[in-house]
Structure formats: C-alpha cells, structure tokens
Amino acid sequence: MPKYVVHYFNGKGLGEPIRLLLAYGGEEFEDHRVAGKDWPEYKKNTVFGQMPNVDIDGKKYAQSIAICRYLGNKYGLAGDTPEEALEIDQLVDLLVDFRLKAATVTYEKDEKLKEQRYEEYSKDVFPEHLDRFNDIIEKNNGHYALGKLTWADFVFAGFFDSMKFIVRIPDLEKKYPAFQRVIDHVYSIPKVKAYADALGPTEF
Amino acid sequence: MPKYVVHYFNGKGLGEPIRLLLAYGGEEFEDHRVAGKDWPEYKKNTVFGQMPNVDIDGKKYAQSIAICRYLGNKYGLAGDTPEEALEIDQLVDLLVDFRLKAATVTYEKDEKLKEQRYEEYSKDVFPEHLDRFNDIIEKNNGHYALGKLTWADFVFAGFFDSMKFIVRIPDLEKKYPAFQRVIDHVYSIPKVKAYADALGPTEF
C-alpha cells in the first residue's frame, strides 16, 4: 500500500496543489481520480462528503489547504519562524476568500442570475483580488509569499487553471505576467516537471 | 506599546476567537474596536482591506483563522504531532466552508433572493453542517477536535454567536446541546471567564 493516496476528480481544481507538493517531496503516491458519474456513490467514503481526501499511512484526511500546509511543513516549505508561517497562512486564506466568493457565481444554478453576478464581479470583486494577488507577487520576487518558494506557491500554481475558469480570462497570465512567474517557479522544479509532463489529459 | 493589538469591529464575529485565545494566553492586549462609521476610512490601514487585523510586535497581520492557528501553536493548543495539527486544520476549514457558504445568504443585497436562499439553505446546507458539527463534537468528548482542548474550540466558541445569527436560531445550543459543551469548555477557563465577564456591551 502506498503511503499516500490522493482522492479527487479527474481535474486540477483543489487536488492539484496536493499532487504538486507530493511530486516535489518525491513521494510515490497513488493518484486516485474519481469519475463524475461515480461521485455520488464515492462521496460516502469521504471524510466530510467532499474531495480532495488524502490517505496518509492508511488514515483519510480532508480539506485541500489543511493537507497542503501539512505537506509544506513536512518538506520545509512553511517558513522559518512562526511569524513566517502566519504570513503564508494569511496569504493562502486570501486565495480561499477569493475562491469561495467566486463560487457563488461559478456554482449559481440560476443561469440569468449567474451571468448578472459574473458581470458585477467582473467590475469589482475579480479585478480587486487579481490586482492584489499581482501586487503580492511583485513584492515577493515572483513568489506568492515570503519572497521565496513556499507551499503557497504550490497552492497558487495548482489552483491557477481554476482561477482562469472562474474569471473567464483564458490568457490571464498574459494580463498578469507576475502570475506566470509563480507558475514557472513551481513547474521548473525537476520533480514537479516530471510529474506534470507525465500527466495525461484531464476532464477539466 | 502592547505586544498585541486586535483591530476589529465592536462585535464578536471573526475577532472574538482571537481575543479569547489572547485571554487564554494571559496576554495584555489592546482591544481596538472600529466603529462602523469609521470603517471606510480605517480600511486603508488594514493588510487586505479586511478585519480582523492583529499587530504582533508592531507588525500587522490579517486573516482570523491564520492568526488563531499562530496563537494556538504558541499556547500549545495545536496538537502534539503534525497529523494532529492537520486534524484541527481540516475541522476548522469545515467551519470556514460553512461560514463562507452562509455568507452568500447573510450578505445577499437582494432582500427577496436573500429570503428565498435562506429558506433553501435551511432545508439542506444549514442542517447538514450543523448535524455534522454535532457529530464531530459528540465524537470528540465535547470538543471540536482531537477529544481535547485545542484552538479549534476557541474558533467554534468565539464564532458561535455569528452561527446563531446566520441560521436564525437564537437557542441553537438548546437544539444542539453538544455545542454548549464546547462553549463551556472554553468559557470556564478562569482567564477566559475573566475576559468575558469584563466585556462591555457590543454592537452585535
């Protein structure tokens, strides 16, 4: 049995930051991808009825960010002092705020309201957040926190495709070149590159 | 200058878990409460345009949960192993999920839609989360994580008035007696009780 099993949909979303961190750590992990049609049944096996879940030494854990922090600590990517760890956490939580605020648009079932909200958010919520992320990265030497490689970079890079999907800007990294710097910092790490290169097509 | 300054509105909300933890830690902290009318101006002084913020040794930090984790680590309330810390984090993030999902109702500006969403959420999102929190606490000996006092209890207890406000159940602790056990575990600690007893009336 492998030490780590990642359970997530066949996509990047909230699973990819975990997979990227495990690749960085040089871990052999089982990449269990649950097909959409199997989700209602598989849901019962998860900790809180959500994914990703990760088995660590046979015990199942939930919540993407919590798992990324755990791995970040394990691989020395969580800052050198408690105050540095706090800086990473506050910046990651800002990304979470963005994702959960945006989710009210992305997952809105009323199509008309969804488009109306998308228009509204495109005027303030989205640009305000994107500009702030850009400032943060520019101040941090092309990283998302502390001016150096931390697990926050893996969260940002792994989540980036979802961010583009949310704001509906396919070339978001052209509009905000700083974003590309974070992605490059992560994907240029040989072990991470090897994982990404070997990855087959995903559903989204 | 005090070592800690907590900047938040004159209410519990996301500030109280921090204040409770500082009281537990026996810290002298300045409890800076920003009146609603002063917020638009004060906003410019905050890290991300949000509160709470906390000054630690003269540096300002943001994000309630990140700050609570930092204090939890400082006071020995963050578990004994990395895996225990992960369990706390995953449970706290479940509370965050609930809060941010509920925010789409609480902060909905369209009154008609707000009431419609409240009705919908009252049928599934709210009871599902509340039942899950109840199960977690019952399995954890009246605590929110690890079967013992952790910083997650302070988050739960400090946030509880907001939870009642969100679900509009003023006697929520009567419906879920397990919730009261967490609150009692926190507020029966002498230093926390002293802080709470000394607290004047708040705006909300």
Side-chain angles (χ1 to χ4, degrees), chain A residues 46-50 56-57 59-67 69-70 74 82-84 86-87 89-91 93-94 96-97 99-100 104 108-110 113 117 129 132 136, chain B residues 46-50 56-57 59-67 69-70 74 82-84 86-87 89-91 93-94 96-97 99-100 104 108-110 113 117 129 132 136:
Chain A
T46 63
V47 182
F48 301 137
Q50 309 163 323
I56 303 176
D57 288 327
K59 181 164 176 173
K60 211 177 272 294
Y61 294 90
Q63 290 285 354
S64 176
I65 299 298
I67 295 162
R69 181 179 301 107
Y70 170 85
K74 193 176 170 82
E83 288 72 25
E84 284 197 357
L86 170 53
E87 281 205 59
D89 284 355
Q90 74 176 10
L91 287 160
D93 281 354
L94 191 70
V96 173
D97 280 352
R99 178 173 63 77
L100 288 171
T104 66
E108 174 58 57
K109 284 169 193 158
D110 178 331
L113 182 61
R117 286 285 148 91
H129 277 83
R132 197 179 291 276
I136 290 165
Chain B
T46 64
V47 182
F48 300 138
Q50 310 163 323
I56 303 177
D57 288 328
K59 181 163 177 175
K60 212 178 272 294
Y61 295 90
Q63 290 285 354
S64 176
I65 298 299
I67 295 162
R69 181 179 300 105
Y70 170 85
K74 193 176 170 79
E83 288 73 25
E84 284 197 357
L86 170 53
E87 281 205 60
D89 284 356
Q90 73 176 10
L91 287 161
D93 281 355
L94 191 69
V96 173
D97 279 353
R99 178 173 64 77
L100 289 171
T104 66
E108 174 57 58
K109 284 171 194 156
D110 179 330
L113 182 61
R117 285 287 150 89
H129 278 82
R132 199 179 289 276
I136 289 165

Coordinates of all heavy atoms in Angstrom, one line a residue, chain A residues 46-50 56-57 59-67 69-70 74 82-84 86-87 89-91 93-94 96-97 99-100 104 108-110 113 117 129 132 136, chain B residues 46-50 56-57 59-67 69-70 74 82-84 86-87 89-91 93-94 96-97 99-100 104 108-110 113 117 129 132 136:
Chain A
T46 N -15.9 9.6 1.9 CA -15.0 10.7 2.2 C -15.3 11.2 3.6 O -16.3 10.9 4.2 CB -15.3 11.9 1.2 OG1 -16.6 12.3 1.4 CG2 -15.1 11.5 -0.2
V47 N -14.3 12.0 4.1 CA -14.4 12.4 5.5 C -15.6 13.4 5.8 O -16.3 13.2 6.7 CB -13.1 13.2 5.9 CG1 -13.1 13.6 7.4 CG2 -11.9 12.3 5.6
F48 N -15.8 14.4 4.9 CA -16.9 15.3 5.1 C -17.8 15.4 3.9 O -18.5 16.4 3.7 CB -16.3 16.8 5.4 CG -15.4 16.9 6.5 CD1 -14.2 17.7 6.4 CD2 -15.7 16.3 7.8 CE1 -13.4 17.8 7.5 CE2 -14.9 16.5 8.8 CZ -13.7 17.3 8.7
G49 N -17.8 14.4 3.0 CA -18.6 14.4 1.9 C -18.1 15.4 0.8 O -18.8 15.9 -0.1
Q50 N -16.8 15.6 0.9 CA -16.1 16.5 -0.1 C -14.8 15.8 -0.6 O -14.3 14.9 0.1 CB -15.6 17.8 0.6 CG -16.6 18.5 1.4 CD -16.0 19.6 2.4 OE1 -14.9 19.3 2.9 NE2 -16.6 20.7 2.5
I56 N -3.1 9.1 4.5 CA -1.7 9.2 4.9 C -1.5 8.1 5.9 O -2.2 8.0 6.9 CB -1.5 10.6 5.6 CG1 -1.8 11.8 4.6 CG2 0.0 10.7 6.1 CD1 -1.7 13.1 5.2
D57 N -0.7 7.2 5.5 CA -0.5 6.0 6.4 C -1.8 5.3 6.7 O -2.0 4.9 7.9 CB 0.3 6.3 7.6 CG 1.8 6.7 7.3 OD1 2.3 6.0 6.4 OD2 2.4 7.5 8.0
K59 N -4.8 6.5 7.0 CA -5.8 7.3 7.6 C -6.2 8.4 6.6 O -5.4 9.0 6.0 CB -5.4 8.0 8.9 CG -6.4 8.8 9.6 CD -6.2 9.1 11.0 CE -7.3 10.0 11.6 NZ -7.2 10.3 13.0
K60 N -7.5 8.6 6.5 CA -8.0 9.6 5.5 C -8.2 11.0 6.1 O -8.7 11.2 7.2 CB -9.4 9.1 5.0 CG -9.7 9.4 3.6 CD -11.1 8.8 3.1 CE -11.0 7.4 2.6 NZ -10.3 7.3 1.3
Y61 N -7.7 12.0 5.3 CA -7.8 13.4 5.8 C -8.5 14.2 4.7 O -8.5 13.8 3.5 CB -6.4 14.0 6.0 CG -5.7 13.3 7.2 CD1 -4.9 12.2 7.0 CD2 -5.9 13.8 8.5 CE1 -4.2 11.6 8.1 CE2 -5.2 13.2 9.6 CZ -4.4 12.2 9.4 OH -3.8 11.6 10.4
A62 N -9.1 15.3 5.1 CA -9.8 16.2 4.2 C -9.3 17.6 4.2 O -8.4 17.9 5.0 CB -11.3 16.2 4.6
Q63 N -9.8 18.4 3.3 CA -9.6 19.8 3.2 C -8.2 20.1 2.5 O -7.1 20.0 3.2 CB -9.7 20.5 4.5 CG -11.1 20.6 5.1 CD -12.0 21.6 4.3 OE1 -11.5 22.4 3.5 NE2 -13.3 21.6 4.6
S64 N -8.3 20.6 1.3 CA -7.1 20.8 0.5 C -6.0 21.7 1.1 O -4.9 21.3 1.2 CB -7.6 21.5 -0.8 OG -6.5 21.8 -1.6
I65 N -6.4 22.8 1.7 CA -5.4 23.7 2.2 C -4.8 23.1 3.5 O -3.6 23.3 3.7 CB -6.1 25.1 2.6 CG1 -6.7 25.7 1.3 CG2 -5.1 26.0 3.3 CD1 -5.7 26.1 0.2
A66 N -5.6 22.5 4.3 CA -5.0 21.8 5.5 C -4.0 20.8 5.1 O -2.9 20.7 5.7 CB -6.2 21.2 6.3
I67 N -4.3 20.0 4.1 CA -3.3 19.0 3.6 C -2.1 19.6 3.0 O -0.9 19.2 3.3 CB -4.0 18.1 2.6 CG1 -5.2 17.3 3.3 CG2 -3.0 17.1 2.0 CD1 -6.2 16.7 2.4
R69 N -0.8 22.5 3.8 CA 0.0 23.0 4.9 C 0.8 21.9 5.6 O 2.0 22.1 5.9 CB -0.9 23.7 6.0 CG -0.1 24.3 7.1 CD -1.0 25.0 8.1 NE -1.8 26.1 7.5 CZ -3.1 26.0 7.2 NH1 -3.8 25.0 7.6 NH2 -3.7 27.0 6.6
Y70 N 0.2 20.8 5.8 CA 0.8 19.6 6.4 C 2.0 19.2 5.6 O 3.2 19.0 6.1 CB -0.2 18.5 6.5 CG 0.4 17.1 6.9 CD1 0.6 16.8 8.2 CD2 0.7 16.2 5.9 CE1 1.1 15.6 8.5 CE2 1.2 15.0 6.2 CZ 1.4 14.7 7.6 OH 2.0 13.4 7.9
K74 N 6.2 19.5 6.2 CA 7.0 18.3 6.1 C 8.2 18.5 5.1 O 9.3 18.0 5.4 CB 6.1 17.2 5.5 CG 6.6 15.8 5.5 CD 5.6 14.8 5.0 CE 6.2 13.4 4.8 NZ 6.2 12.6 6.1
P82 N 7.5 31.0 13.4 CA 6.0 31.0 13.5 C 5.4 32.2 12.7 O 4.3 32.1 12.1 CB 5.8 31.1 15.0 CG 7.0 30.5 15.6 CD 8.1 30.9 14.7
E83 N 6.1 33.4 12.7 CA 5.6 34.6 12.1 C 5.6 34.4 10.6 O 4.7 34.8 9.9 CB 6.4 35.8 12.5 CG 6.1 36.3 13.9 CD 6.8 35.4 15.0 OE1 7.8 34.7 14.6 OE2 6.3 35.3 16.1
E84 N 6.6 33.7 10.0 CA 6.6 33.4 8.6 C 5.5 32.5 8.2 O 4.9 32.6 7.2 CB 8.0 32.8 8.2 CG 9.1 33.9 8.1 CD 10.3 33.5 7.3 OE1 10.4 32.3 6.8 OE2 11.2 34.3 7.1
L86 N 2.7 32.2 9.7 CA 1.5 33.1 9.7 C 1.3 33.9 8.4 O 0.2 34.0 7.9 CB 1.5 34.0 11.0 CG 0.5 35.1 11.1 CD1 -0.9 34.6 11.0 CD2 0.7 35.8 12.4
E87 N 2.4 34.4 7.9 CA 2.4 35.2 6.7 C 1.9 34.3 5.5 O 1.1 34.8 4.7 CB 3.7 35.8 6.3 CG 4.0 37.1 7.2 CD 5.0 38.0 6.4 OE1 4.7 38.4 5.3 OE2 6.0 38.3 7.0
D89 N 0.1 31.6 5.8 CA -1.3 31.3 6.0 C -2.3 32.4 5.7 O -3.4 32.2 5.1 CB -1.5 30.9 7.5 CG -1.0 29.5 7.9 OD1 -0.6 28.8 6.9 OD2 -1.0 29.1 9.0
Q90 N -1.9 33.6 6.0 CA -2.8 34.7 5.8 C -3.0 35.0 4.3 O -4.1 35.3 3.8 CB -2.4 36.0 6.5 CG -1.2 36.7 5.9 CD -0.9 38.1 6.6 OE1 -1.4 38.4 7.6 NE2 0.0 38.8 6.0
L91 N -1.9 34.7 3.5 CA -2.0 34.9 2.1 C -2.8 33.8 1.4 O -3.6 34.0 0.5 CB -0.6 35.0 1.5 CG 0.1 36.3 1.8 CD1 1.6 36.2 1.7 CD2 -0.4 37.4 0.9
D93 N -5.1 32.1 2.8 CA -6.6 32.3 3.2 C -7.2 33.4 2.3 O -8.4 33.4 2.1 CB -6.7 32.7 4.6 CG -6.6 31.4 5.5 OD1 -6.6 30.3 4.9 OD2 -6.6 31.5 6.7
L94 N -6.4 34.3 1.8 CA -6.9 35.4 0.9 C -7.3 34.7 -0.5 O -8.3 35.1 -1.1 CB -5.8 36.4 0.6 CG -6.2 37.7 -0.1 CD1 -7.2 38.5 0.8 CD2 -5.0 38.5 -0.5
V96 N -8.3 31.6 -0.6 CA -9.5 30.9 -0.3 C -10.7 31.8 -0.3 O -11.8 31.5 -0.8 CB -9.4 30.2 1.1 CG1 -10.7 29.6 1.5 CG2 -8.3 29.1 1.0
D97 N -10.6 33.0 0.3 CA -11.6 34.0 0.2 C -12.1 34.2 -1.2 O -13.3 34.3 -1.5 CB -11.2 35.3 0.8 CG -11.2 35.4 2.3 OD1 -11.7 34.5 2.9 OD2 -10.6 36.4 2.8
R99 N -11.7 32.3 -3.9 CA -12.3 31.1 -4.4 C -13.8 30.9 -3.9 O -14.7 30.7 -4.7 CB -11.5 29.8 -4.0 CG -12.1 28.5 -4.5 CD -11.2 27.4 -4.3 NE -10.9 27.1 -2.9 CZ -11.8 26.5 -2.1 NH1 -13.0 26.1 -2.5 NH2 -11.5 26.2 -0.8
L100 N -14.0 31.1 -2.6 CA -15.3 30.9 -2.1 C -16.3 32.0 -2.4 O -17.5 31.8 -2.6 CB -15.2 30.6 -0.6 CG -14.6 29.3 -0.2 CD1 -14.3 29.1 1.3 CD2 -15.5 28.1 -0.7
T104 N -19.9 31.6 -5.5 CA -21.3 32.0 -5.6 C -21.7 32.3 -7.0 O -22.9 32.3 -7.3 CB -21.5 33.2 -4.7 OG1 -20.8 34.3 -5.2 CG2 -21.1 32.9 -3.3
E108 N -23.7 29.1 -9.2 CA -25.0 29.6 -9.2 C -25.8 28.8 -10.3 O -25.4 28.7 -11.4 CB -25.0 31.1 -9.6 CG -26.4 31.7 -9.8 CD -27.3 31.5 -8.6 OE1 -26.9 31.9 -7.5 OE2 -28.4 30.9 -8.7
K109 N -27.0 28.3 -9.8 CA -27.8 27.4 -10.7 C -28.7 28.2 -11.6 O -29.1 27.7 -12.7 CB -28.6 26.4 -9.9 CG -27.7 25.3 -9.4 CD -28.5 24.4 -8.3 CE -27.5 23.5 -7.6 NZ -28.0 23.1 -6.3
D110 N -29.1 29.4 -11.2 CA -30.0 30.2 -12.0 C -29.1 30.9 -13.0 O -28.3 31.8 -12.7 CB -30.7 31.2 -11.0 CG -31.6 32.2 -11.7 OD1 -31.3 32.5 -12.9 OD2 -32.5 32.7 -11.1
L113 N -29.2 34.8 -13.3 CA -28.5 35.4 -12.1 C -27.0 35.2 -12.1 O -26.2 36.1 -11.8 CB -29.1 34.8 -10.8 CG -28.6 35.4 -9.5 CD1 -28.9 36.8 -9.3 CD2 -29.1 34.6 -8.3
R117 N -24.4 38.2 -12.0 CA -23.4 38.2 -10.9 C -22.0 38.3 -11.5 O -21.1 38.9 -11.0 CB -23.5 37.0 -10.0 CG -24.7 37.1 -9.1 CD -24.4 38.1 -7.9 NE -25.6 38.8 -7.5 CZ -26.4 38.3 -6.5 NH1 -26.1 37.3 -5.9 NH2 -27.5 39.0 -6.2
H129 N -9.3 41.5 -6.5 CA -8.5 40.3 -6.0 C -7.3 40.1 -6.9 O -6.2 39.9 -6.4 CB -9.4 39.1 -5.9 CG -10.2 39.0 -4.6 ND1 -11.4 39.6 -4.5 CD2 -9.9 38.4 -3.5 CE1 -11.8 39.4 -3.3 NE2 -11.0 38.7 -2.6
R132 N -4.6 42.6 -6.3 CA -4.0 42.4 -5.1 C -3.0 41.2 -5.1 O -1.9 41.3 -4.6 CB -5.0 42.1 -4.0 CG -4.5 42.3 -2.6 CD -5.5 42.1 -1.5 NE -6.5 43.1 -1.4 CZ -6.4 44.3 -0.8 NH1 -5.3 44.6 -0.1 NH2 -7.4 45.1 -0.7
I136 N 1.1 41.4 -4.5 CA 1.7 40.5 -3.6 C 2.9 39.8 -4.3 O 4.0 39.7 -3.7 CB 0.7 39.5 -3.0 CG1 -0.3 40.1 -2.1 CG2 1.4 38.3 -2.3 CD1 -1.6 39.3 -1.8
Chain B
T46 N -5.6 48.6 6.9 CA -5.5 47.1 7.1 C -4.7 46.4 6.0 O -4.4 47.0 5.0 CB -7.0 46.5 7.1 OG1 -7.5 46.7 5.7 CG2 -7.9 47.2 8.1
V47 N -4.3 45.2 6.3 CA -3.4 44.5 5.4 C -4.1 44.2 4.0 O -3.5 44.4 3.0 CB -3.0 43.1 6.0 CG1 -2.0 42.4 5.1 CG2 -2.3 43.4 7.4
F48 N -5.3 43.6 4.1 CA -6.0 43.3 2.8 C -7.4 44.0 2.7 O -8.2 43.5 2.0 CB -6.3 41.8 2.7 CG -5.1 40.9 2.8 CD1 -5.1 39.7 3.6 CD2 -3.9 41.2 2.1 CE1 -4.0 38.9 3.6 CE2 -2.8 40.4 2.1 CZ -2.8 39.2 2.9
G49 N -7.6 45.1 3.4 CA -8.9 45.8 3.3 C -9.9 45.0 4.1 O -11.1 45.1 3.8
Q50 N -9.5 44.2 5.0 CA -10.4 43.4 5.8 C -10.0 43.5 7.3 O -8.9 43.8 7.6 CB -10.3 41.9 5.5 CG -10.4 41.5 4.0 CD -9.9 40.1 3.8 OE1 -8.9 39.6 4.4 NE2 -10.5 39.4 2.8
I56 N 1.4 42.3 15.9 CA 2.2 41.4 16.7 C 3.6 42.0 16.7 O 4.2 42.1 15.6 CB 2.2 40.0 16.2 CG1 0.8 39.4 16.2 CG2 3.1 39.1 17.1 CD1 0.7 38.0 15.6
D57 N 4.1 42.5 17.9 CA 5.4 43.2 17.9 C 5.5 44.3 16.8 O 6.5 44.3 16.2 CB 6.5 42.2 17.8 CG 6.6 41.3 19.1 OD1 6.3 41.8 20.1 OD2 7.0 40.1 19.0
K59 N 4.1 44.6 13.9 CA 3.8 44.2 12.5 C 2.3 43.8 12.5 O 1.8 43.0 13.3 CB 4.7 43.1 12.1 CG 4.4 42.7 10.6 CD 5.6 41.9 10.0 CE 5.1 41.5 8.6 NZ 6.2 40.8 7.8
K60 N 1.6 44.2 11.4 CA 0.2 43.9 11.3 C 0.0 42.6 10.5 O 0.6 42.4 9.4 CB -0.5 45.1 10.6 CG -1.9 45.4 11.0 CD -2.5 46.6 10.3 CE -2.2 47.9 11.0 NZ -2.9 48.1 12.3
Y61 N -0.9 41.8 11.0 CA -1.2 40.5 10.3 C -2.8 40.5 10.1 O -3.5 41.1 10.8 CB -0.8 39.3 11.1 CG 0.7 39.2 11.2 CD1 1.4 39.8 12.3 CD2 1.4 38.5 10.3 CE1 2.8 39.7 12.4 CE2 2.8 38.4 10.4 CZ 3.5 39.0 11.5 OH 4.8 38.9 11.6
A62 N -3.2 39.7 9.1 CA -4.6 39.6 8.7 C -5.0 38.1 8.8 O -4.2 37.2 9.0 CB -4.8 40.1 7.3
Q63 N -6.3 37.9 8.6 CA -7.0 36.6 8.5 C -7.1 35.9 9.8 O -6.2 35.4 10.4 CB -6.2 35.7 7.5 CG -6.4 36.2 6.0 CD -7.7 35.9 5.4 OE1 -8.6 35.3 6.0 NE2 -8.0 36.4 4.2
S64 N -8.4 35.9 10.3 CA -8.7 35.4 11.6 C -8.2 34.0 11.9 O -7.5 33.8 12.9 CB -10.2 35.4 11.7 OG -10.7 34.8 12.9
I65 N -8.4 33.1 11.0 CA -8.0 31.7 11.2 C -6.5 31.5 11.3 O -6.0 30.8 12.1 CB -8.6 30.8 10.1 CG1 -10.2 30.8 10.2 CG2 -8.1 29.3 10.3 CD1 -10.8 30.4 11.5
A66 N -5.8 32.2 10.4 CA -4.4 32.2 10.3 C -3.8 32.7 11.7 O -2.9 32.1 12.2 CB -3.8 33.0 9.2
I67 N -4.4 33.7 12.2 CA -3.9 34.3 13.5 C -4.2 33.3 14.6 O -3.4 33.1 15.5 CB -4.6 35.7 13.7 CG1 -4.1 36.7 12.6 CG2 -4.2 36.2 15.1 CD1 -4.9 37.9 12.5
R69 N -4.5 30.1 14.5 CA -3.5 29.0 14.4 C -2.2 29.4 15.0 O -1.6 28.6 15.7 CB -3.4 28.5 12.9 CG -2.4 27.3 12.8 CD -2.3 26.9 11.3 NE -3.5 26.5 10.7 CZ -4.2 27.3 9.9 NH1 -3.7 28.4 9.5 NH2 -5.4 26.8 9.4
Y70 N -1.7 30.6 14.7 CA -0.5 31.1 15.2 C -0.5 31.1 16.7 O 0.4 30.6 17.4 CB -0.2 32.5 14.6 CG 0.9 33.2 15.3 CD1 2.2 33.1 14.8 CD2 0.7 34.1 16.3 CE1 3.3 33.8 15.4 CE2 1.7 34.8 16.9 CZ 3.0 34.7 16.4 OH 4.0 35.4 17.0
K74 N 1.4 28.8 19.6 CA 2.2 29.5 20.7 C 1.8 29.0 22.1 O 2.6 28.8 23.0 CB 1.9 31.0 20.6 CG 2.8 31.9 21.4 CD 2.4 33.3 21.1 CE 3.1 34.3 22.0 NZ 4.5 34.5 21.7
P82 N 2.3 16.5 13.8 CA 1.8 17.1 12.6 C 0.5 16.6 12.1 O -0.4 17.4 11.6 CB 2.9 16.8 11.5 CG 4.1 16.5 12.4 CD 3.7 15.9 13.6
E83 N 0.2 15.3 12.4 CA -1.1 14.7 12.0 C -2.2 15.3 12.8 O -3.3 15.5 12.4 CB -1.0 13.2 12.0 CG -0.2 12.6 10.9 CD 1.3 12.7 11.2 OE1 1.7 12.9 12.3 OE2 2.1 12.7 10.2
E84 N -1.9 15.5 14.1 CA -3.0 16.1 14.9 C -3.2 17.6 14.5 O -4.4 18.0 14.5 CB -2.5 16.1 16.4 CG -2.7 14.7 17.1 CD -2.7 14.8 18.6 OE1 -2.5 15.9 19.2 OE2 -2.9 13.7 19.2
L86 N -3.0 18.7 11.5 CA -3.8 18.5 10.3 C -5.3 18.3 10.6 O -6.2 18.8 10.0 CB -3.2 17.4 9.4 CG -4.0 16.9 8.2 CD1 -4.4 18.1 7.3 CD2 -3.2 15.9 7.4
E87 N -5.5 17.4 11.6 CA -6.9 17.2 12.0 C -7.6 18.4 12.5 O -8.8 18.7 12.1 CB -7.0 16.1 13.1 CG -6.8 14.7 12.6 CD -7.4 13.7 13.5 OE1 -8.7 13.7 13.7 OE2 -6.7 12.8 14.0
D89 N -6.8 21.5 11.6 CA -6.9 22.4 10.4 C -8.1 22.0 9.6 O -8.9 22.8 9.1 CB -5.7 22.4 9.6 CG -4.5 23.2 10.2 OD1 -4.8 23.9 11.3 OD2 -3.4 23.2 9.7
Q90 N -8.3 20.7 9.3 CA -9.4 20.2 8.4 C -10.7 20.5 9.0 O -11.7 20.9 8.3 CB -9.2 18.7 8.1 CG -9.6 17.8 9.2 CD -9.5 16.3 8.7 OE1 -9.0 16.0 7.6 NE2 -10.0 15.4 9.5
L91 N -10.8 20.4 10.4 CA -12.1 20.7 11.0 C -12.4 22.2 11.0 O -13.5 22.6 10.8 CB -12.1 20.1 12.4 CG -12.2 18.6 12.5 CD1 -11.7 18.0 13.8 CD2 -13.6 18.2 12.2
D93 N -11.3 24.3 8.8 CA -11.7 24.7 7.5 C -13.1 24.3 7.1 O -13.7 24.9 6.3 CB -10.7 24.1 6.5 CG -9.4 24.9 6.4 OD1 -9.3 25.9 7.1 OD2 -8.4 24.4 5.7
L94 N -13.6 23.3 7.8 CA -15.1 22.9 7.6 C -16.0 24.0 8.1 O -17.0 24.4 7.5 CB -15.3 21.6 8.3 CG -16.7 20.9 8.0 CD1 -16.7 20.4 6.5 CD2 -16.9 19.8 8.9
V96 N -15.1 27.1 8.2 CA -14.9 28.2 7.3 C -15.8 28.0 6.1 O -16.4 29.0 5.6 CB -13.4 28.4 6.9 CG1 -13.2 29.4 5.7 CG2 -12.5 28.8 8.1
D97 N -15.8 26.8 5.6 CA -16.7 26.5 4.4 C -18.1 26.9 4.8 O -18.8 27.5 3.9 CB -16.7 24.9 4.2 CG -15.5 24.5 3.4 OD1 -14.7 25.3 2.9 OD2 -15.3 23.3 3.2
R99 N -19.2 29.0 7.0 CA -19.3 30.5 7.1 C -19.4 31.2 5.7 O -20.2 32.0 5.5 CB -18.1 31.1 7.9 CG -18.2 32.6 8.1 CD -17.1 33.1 9.0 NE -15.8 32.8 8.6 CZ -15.1 33.5 7.6 NH1 -15.7 34.5 7.0 NH2 -13.9 33.2 7.3
L100 N -18.5 30.7 4.8 CA -18.4 31.4 3.5 C -19.6 31.0 2.6 O -20.0 31.8 1.8 CB -17.1 31.2 2.9 CG -15.9 31.9 3.6 CD1 -14.6 31.5 3.1 CD2 -16.1 33.4 3.4
T104 N -23.2 33.9 1.5 CA -23.9 34.2 0.3 C -25.4 34.5 0.6 O -26.1 35.2 -0.2 CB -23.9 33.0 -0.7 OG1 -24.6 31.9 -0.2 CG2 -22.4 32.7 -1.0
E108 N -26.4 38.8 1.0 CA -27.2 39.0 -0.2 C -27.9 40.3 -0.1 O -28.6 40.6 0.9 CB -28.1 37.8 -0.4 CG -29.1 38.0 -1.6 CD -28.4 38.2 -2.9 OE1 -27.5 37.4 -3.3 OE2 -28.6 39.3 -3.5
K109 N -27.7 41.2 -1.1 CA -28.3 42.5 -1.0 C -29.8 42.5 -1.5 O -30.6 43.4 -1.1 CB -27.5 43.5 -1.8 CG -26.2 43.9 -1.1 CD -25.3 44.7 -2.0 CE -23.9 44.8 -1.4 NZ -22.9 45.0 -2.4
D110 N -30.1 41.6 -2.4 CA -31.5 41.5 -2.9 C -32.3 40.8 -1.8 O -32.2 39.6 -1.6 CB -31.4 40.7 -4.2 CG -32.8 40.5 -4.8 OD1 -33.8 40.5 -4.1 OD2 -32.9 40.4 -6.1
L113 N -34.3 37.6 -2.8 CA -33.4 36.5 -3.1 C -32.8 36.0 -1.8 O -32.7 34.8 -1.5 CB -32.3 36.9 -4.0 CG -31.3 35.8 -4.5 CD1 -32.0 34.7 -5.2 CD2 -30.2 36.4 -5.3
R117 N -33.1 32.2 -0.5 CA -31.9 31.4 -0.3 C -31.9 30.9 1.2 O -31.5 29.8 1.4 CB -30.7 32.2 -0.6 CG -30.4 32.4 -2.0 CD -29.9 31.1 -2.7 NE -30.2 31.0 -4.1 CZ -29.5 31.5 -5.1 NH1 -28.4 32.1 -4.9 NH2 -29.9 31.4 -6.3
H129 N -24.7 20.9 7.8 CA -23.5 21.3 8.5 C -23.6 21.2 10.0 O -22.7 20.8 10.7 CB -23.1 22.8 8.1 CG -22.3 22.9 6.8 ND1 -22.9 22.8 5.6 CD2 -21.0 23.0 6.6 CE1 -22.0 22.9 4.7 NE2 -20.8 23.0 5.2
R132 N -23.4 17.8 11.2 CA -22.0 17.3 11.1 C -21.2 17.8 12.3 O -20.4 17.1 12.9 CB -21.4 17.7 9.8 CG -20.2 16.8 9.4 CD -19.6 17.2 8.1 NE -20.4 16.8 6.9 CZ -20.3 15.6 6.4 NH1 -19.6 14.7 6.9 NH2 -21.1 15.4 5.3
I136 N -19.3 15.6 15.2 CA -17.9 15.8 15.4 C -17.6 16.0 16.9 O -16.8 15.4 17.6 CB -17.3 17.0 14.6 CG1 -17.3 16.7 13.1 CG2 -16.0 17.5 15.1 CD1 -17.1 17.9 12.2

